[in-house]
Amino acid sequence: MYRLSSNATLFLKIFLPVFWITIMAILTMVVWLVEPSKFGGLNMTSLRWAASFTLVVGVVSFFVLTWPLKRVETDGEKVYVSNYFRTAFYRWDQDVEALSEFRFLFFRIGVIELNGIGSFGRKMRFVISPRLMKKFREENPGVLPEAKG
């Protein structure tokens, strides 16, 4: 079994959002619940709304950017896609229409497009491990659809 996704996927999908949201939620609650005198005369209205806005923007950002990431493995015939709670598999030759790649910040993101709608939708995103992807392509030429992008 070959893993194509990076180890960073678990960190980006679960650990970072949980840690950041927990810290920001606690900070926001403190700003709203603690007496203003404890903050040395700061304008509490602005601080409260800034903390609340930062929390909401962060949650939405994680929901849009990191929650859709998947773990991807393959045995050469099938691709196994997991969201760390359940796993689905698809055949490279029958179910997968295309594999595209693009750069986002420091990461290479892969998108597997299916011919129809699968368990996780028609398009599934994952963080590519360049080293593992290269190794798989060298050992199994012609299995993966040609990358677009």
Side-chain angles (χ1 to χ4, degrees):
M1 187 74 72
Y2 295 91
R3 182 170 46 89
L4 303 179
S5 56
S6 170
N7 283 332
T9 305
L10 182 63
F11 177 77
L12 292 171
K13 182 177 176 78
I14 296 177
F15 296 128
L16 180 65
V18 168
F19 178 75
W20 190 91
I21 290 169
T22 302
I23 297 299
M24 247 350 263
I26 291 169
L27 177 68
T28 303
M29 286 191 309
V30 166
V31 168
W32 279 94
L33 299 176
V34 173
E35 297 175 21
S37 62
K38 303 278 185 190
F39 289 94
L42 288 175
N43 182 357
M44 292 305 292
T45 304
S46 298
L47 186 60
R48 287 174 175 159
W49 288 110
S52 300
F53 178 77
T54 303
L55 176 63
V56 169
V57 168
V59 169
V60 170
S61 297
F62 285 125
F63 184 73
V64 170
L65 296 175
T66 65
W67 188 249
L69 294 176
K70 306 289 185 260
R71 177 182 171 96
V72 175
E73 296 177 329
T74 185
D75 61 5
E77 274 185 44
K78 299 178 197 132
V79 58
Y80 298 87
V81 181
S82 172
N83 66 356
Y84 294 101
F85 301 107
R86 63 189 171 116
T87 302
F89 70 89
Y90 308 97
R91 294 186 149 305
W92 283 116
D93 57 349
Q94 296 173 359
D95 301 324
V96 177
E97 182 177 315
L99 172 67
S100 55
E101 299 177 16
F102 63 93
R103 294 197 65 74
F104 181 74
L105 299 176
F106 305 108
F107 303 102
R108 281 182 46 204
I109 305 297
V111 179
I112 296 174
E113 296 180 50
L114 301 177
N115 292 326
I117 295 179
S119 298
F120 300 117
R122 189 170 186 281
K123 294 182 179 183
M124 295 163 287
R125 290 186 284 175
F126 66 101
V127 179
I128 293 174
S129 170
R131 182 180 52 83
L132 296 174
M133 183 72 87
K134 180 181 177 188
K135 179 181 175 187
F136 179 75
R137 285 191 177 182
E138 288 171 355
E139 293 179 10
N140 299 283
V143 173
L144 296 178
E146 285 304 314
K148 295 189 294 187

